[in-house]
Amino acid sequence: MTIVFWAAIALAAFGIISTLGDKGIYGLIIPVVVLGAIFLLYKFPPGRWARKAKPKIKPSARTMAKMKAQSGSGARKSSGSSKKRKDYPFHVIQGNKGKSDDDIPKFH
């Protein structure tokens, strides 16, 4: 890949030197303007291509009622200590595939 890169740099340099020799500095004005315009469009894209902010969605009356009920109740409840632990309808079944007392970790 480095050979391809340096070959492209050498050809670009040769093209710039030959353009300067044939047409002088005026031969480079158009390429510089085009590259400058591309750079500016990349750096500062037009408004229709730029990312637009997400439109605001008006909450429903039901949602607003819930929000008012929460804020009107005073202090918020702590979720950790006051909630009851959820009781799940499943549990772990211990298998008997080659288990011995030596395999049980001592740090439990």
Side-chain angles (χ1 to χ4, degrees):
M1 288 300 288
T2 58
I3 294 173
V4 173
F5 174 74
W6 288 112
I9 295 294
L11 288 173
F14 178 73
I16 291 172
I17 291 170
S18 66
T19 302
L20 283 175
D22 293 342
K23 301 175 186 175
I25 194 77
Y26 298 110
L28 289 178
I29 290 177
I30 292 175
V32 167
V33 168
V34 169
L35 288 175
I38 291 172
F39 176 75
L40 287 175
L41 285 174
Y42 176 74
K43 199 69 172 167
F44 307 105
R48 66 179 179 190
W49 293 331
R51 290 185 185 167
K52 295 183 180 179
K54 292 181 181 179
K56 279 196 161 191
I57 299 172
K58 183 180 176 185
S60 67
R62 191 169 157 189
T63 304
M64 291 301 288
K66 285 182 183 178
M67 288 174 56
K68 284 182 183 178
Q70 282 181 350
S71 65
S73 66
R76 290 186 170 189
K77 297 177 182 177
S78 65
S79 62
S81 62
S82 66
K83 285 189 176 182
K84 185 179 177 183
R85 184 175 174 158
K86 207 169 194 180
D87 192 21
Y88 292 103
F90 52 86
H91 61 280
V92 177
I93 300 173
Q94 295 295 328
N96 55 1
K97 184 178 176 183
K99 196 176 241 190
S100 67
D101 291 337
D102 295 335
D103 293 340
I104 297 173
K106 304 296 184 209
F107 55 85
H108 279 252

